[in-house]
Amino acid sequence: MTRPEPFAVDGPEDWHRLSPWMMAVKPVELLPSLVPVVIALVFAGSGAPLFTLIATAVIVPFVTVVPWLTTRYQVTDEHVRVRSGLVTRKVATARRDRIRSVDLTASPVHRVLKLQKVKIGTGGDDESSAVVLTALTVDEARALHDNLMATRTHRAASSPAEGADPDDPAVPAAEAQVLARFQTSWLRYSPFSVAGLALAAGAAGLAAQVANDAGVFSEGIGFARDAVDAVRETAIGFVVLAACLLVIVVGGVLSVLGYVLNYWNFRLLRHPDGTLRTERGLLTTNAISFDERRIRGSHLTEPVLMRPLKGARLQAIATGSTKHPLLLPPAPIDEAMRVAGLVTHERAELTTPLVGHGTTARLRRLNRGFLGGGAALAVIGVAVVTRVVPVPWLVVGVAAVLASTALGAVRARHLGHRLTARSVVIAPPSVARQRVVVDRDGVIGWASRTSLFQRRSGVTTLILATAAGAEHYALVDVDEETAATVAYDVSPDWIRPFLTS
């Protein structure tokens, strides 16, 4: 049977089917894994059409009707349970007192059919710890979300009128507070994404490989032959410059497209019960709800290409199944600071000056950068000596040394830490400037790791352990005295037995 309206919890024997439109959604979800099967059926169809017809008649019901017929779910006062499978039976259960997040997702197919996918997280780190309802109607999904996250029938802070029933539907419910909303001006940050450039460069390399395998460069066909001949007659410097410009332009376009698809209509909401909710997406909509009380810090990232425009991305560091909930997509850093002040109350920690890790840490970053560029120069030098490439390629090797050394200097400049009254602030040695803020009460342990080269330099890496976020954050290349001081200041009772007088 289907779930009745309005939403009501089930008894032990009450089970419900998902929407019948699951039979249309399931094949779309399985499409990537079905591509090899479809290709095999197409090729087999030319030689054995009867076999293809029989295989299709078996496969289509198996991926459409059978999953819907064999899937049931129930929502009781104690748990949410989903049973599925025909040959191998699977039962996924989420205890209500262990539910940490409820995500609502709607792909284009879901949206056309007015469905939503519900993912219930229970605090585990892998996908197997989540309970998933593939296809519920929009009303059912939202009612289930509100019931599990306890965001329904919350009243405003002011008391109802004397004699009024607080459970009376006529009494207005408290509205969710909008903490941040998408602004079209944020689109100026979208072209400056390294991911878009990497995707464009990868696509260009793949296209070149396919063209080479097809014989376009050696034999050529039509205008392609003329284009290849024109490229061969052009100076190599102009060809490289044109290729770089093409990658930058295409990468920028892909970055804008990805930003719009992922973050359009972004909203960050706070419900009266302390539940935070993010909503975003153009074609595929995504809504994630998580408990604000489970936030243990924040992570601010200023991508290297966005820093001139003062752009940043803000994430929370939280426990539960959603360990890195997005608080703000790439947006003005002032807006990120405002949201951090509202949600994590760590605006001061994100702007406080850091304690540097000293000359040794700086030299280690510079040495690593120089050695990386030096390796590239050595490879090019060998190629020049063996006449694989012309001598002017040495300029590329020298440029690689200068660029990698400069990046090492940037990483050294970003490295640092700071202890505040409530948090541990860590800045990793990355090209993109980052600030990781972990609340002191979120620290659950300490560890240190020292390589052979670090021992020779008298430094170590202090690792902060926490149940939230990435679960470990490193203070890289600090001297041993600083490492002991930091750990003792945050967790004196744990560290005292290991200190010598």
Side-chain angles (χ1 to χ4, degrees):
M1 65 178 179
T2 58
R3 173 166 291 282
E5 293 294 340
F7 184 91
V9 295
D10 301 321
E13 303 302 324
D14 295 331
W15 291 88
H16 310 278
R17 294 186 189 274
L18 299 175
S19 169
W21 287 114
M22 176 185 174
M23 291 183 284
V25 172
K26 198 65 176 181
V28 177
E29 289 188 341
L30 297 176
L31 188 59
S33 60
L34 292 177
V35 168
V37 177
V38 174
I39 294 175
L41 290 177
V42 171
F43 279 100
S46 58
L50 181 60
F51 170 78
T52 302
L53 181 62
I54 295 174
T56 303
V58 172
I59 293 175
V60 170
F62 188 75
V63 299
T64 57
V65 180
V66 172
W68 178 69
L69 289 176
T70 58
T71 302
R72 301 284 194 280
Y73 78 98
Q74 67 174 190
V75 182
T76 70
D77 289 326
E78 291 80 25
H79 60 251
V80 179
R81 182 169 290 166
V82 178
R83 298 189 312 195
S84 61
L86 178 62
V87 179
T88 301
R89 298 292 294 176
K90 178 182 177 182
V91 179
T93 303
R95 284 174 43 190
R96 292 183 71 114
D97 60 344
R98 299 292 297 172
I99 291 175
R100 301 293 180 257
S101 64
V102 179
D103 305 346
L104 304 181
T105 305
S107 66
V109 176
H110 283 88
R111 296 179 66 181
V112 169
L113 301 176
K114 296 182 179 180
L115 303 175
Q116 284 187 326
K117 177 180 178 180
V118 181
K119 180 180 177 182
I120 303 168
T122 56
D125 297 332
D126 53 8
E127 292 294 326
S128 62
S129 65
V131 174
V132 179
L133 301 173
T134 306
L136 293 179
T137 65
V138 172
D139 292 339
E140 289 174 346
R142 291 178 179 174
L144 178 60
H145 166 274
D146 292 345
N147 181 270
L148 297 179
M149 295 302 294
T151 57
R152 57 194 178 100
T153 61
H154 283 277
R155 305 305 175 193
S158 58
S159 301
E162 184 177 355
D165 183 1
D167 294 325
D168 186 354
V171 179
E175 296 291 335
Q177 178 186 6
V178 180
L179 302 181
R181 188 190 301 270
F182 177 83
Q183 305 292 331
T184 53
S185 60
W186 296 358
L187 289 174
R188 68 179 184 271
Y189 300 103
S190 58
F192 302 96
S193 171
V194 177
L197 296 177
L199 183 60
L206 179 62
Q209 182 64 39
V210 172
N212 183 63
D213 294 341
V216 173
F217 297 145
S218 58
E219 300 176 3
I221 51 174
F223 72 92
R225 179 173 57 250
D226 298 335
V228 171
D229 292 339
V231 169
R232 288 174 177 171
E233 296 173 359
T234 306
I236 185 64
F238 289 105
V239 173
V240 172
L241 178 61
C244 292
L245 290 177
L246 180 62
V247 168
I248 291 173
V249 172
V250 174
V253 172
L254 293 176
S255 297
V256 173
L257 180 61
Y259 190 99
V260 172
L261 291 176
N262 283 314
Y263 303 123
W264 193 259
N265 288 330
F266 173 86
R267 291 199 308 167
L268 174 64
L269 307 172
R270 174 187 281 143
H271 288 278
D273 65 338
T275 299
L276 292 176
R277 177 184 173 95
T278 59
E279 301 173 351
R280 60 185 175 90
L282 181 61
L283 297 180
T284 298
T285 61
N286 187 272
I288 300 176
S289 298
F290 54 96
D291 192 346
E292 187 174 7
R293 293 170 299 180
R294 298 192 174 276
I295 293 178
R296 297 294 182 267
S298 55
H299 186 175
L300 180 73
T301 304
E302 299 176 67
V304 61
L305 298 180
M306 295 183 193
R307 283 192 60 193
L309 298 179
K310 297 183 178 180
R313 181 178 67 250
L314 181 67
Q315 293 174 287
I317 297 174
T319 59
S321 57
T322 306
K323 290 184 173 293
H324 301 93
L326 180 69
L327 298 181
L328 198 70
I333 191 169
D334 292 340
E335 180 70 5
M337 292 300 175
R338 184 187 70 82
V339 173
L342 292 174
V343 177
T344 64
H345 311 291
E346 293 170 343
R347 180 168 184 166
E349 283 79 0
L350 292 172
T351 57
T352 184
L354 300 178
V355 176
H357 290 185
T359 303
T360 301
R362 187 179 307 109
L363 290 177
R364 282 175 55 81
R365 305 275 80 72
L366 292 174
N367 289 339
R368 287 190 175 190
F370 176 79
L371 291 175
L377 179 59
V379 172
I380 294 175
V382 172
V384 170
V385 171
T386 56
R387 298 184 179 180
V388 176
V389 296
V391 175
W393 274 88
L394 289 173
V395 176
V396 177
V398 174
V401 172
L402 296 176
S404 61
T405 304
L407 292 178
V410 171
R411 296 177 65 203
R413 183 179 179 182
H414 291 167
L415 180 61
H417 74 278
R418 167 75 70 177
L419 295 181
T420 68
R422 55 171 290 171
S423 306
V424 181
V425 184
I426 302 173
S430 58
V431 176
R433 187 161 64 183
Q434 301 183 53
R435 287 284 183 96
V436 176
V437 181
V438 181
D439 296 343
R440 288 179 177 241
D441 57 6
V443 178
I444 62 174
W446 296 94
S448 63
R449 181 180 64 242
T450 308
S451 67
L452 174 63
F453 297 104
Q454 284 180 314
R455 286 199 297 270
R456 295 181 61 181
S457 301
V459 294
T460 186
T461 297
L462 180 66
I463 301 173
L464 179 155
T466 177
E471 299 183 353
H472 64 278
Y473 297 95
L475 284 74
V476 179
D477 289 345
V478 293
D479 61 79
E480 294 183 357
E481 181 179 354
T482 300
T485 301
V486 170
Y488 181 79
D489 188 284
V490 178
S491 311
D493 294 336
W494 303 346
I495 305 300
R496 187 177 294 110
F498 299 95
L499 298 179
T500 57
S501 56

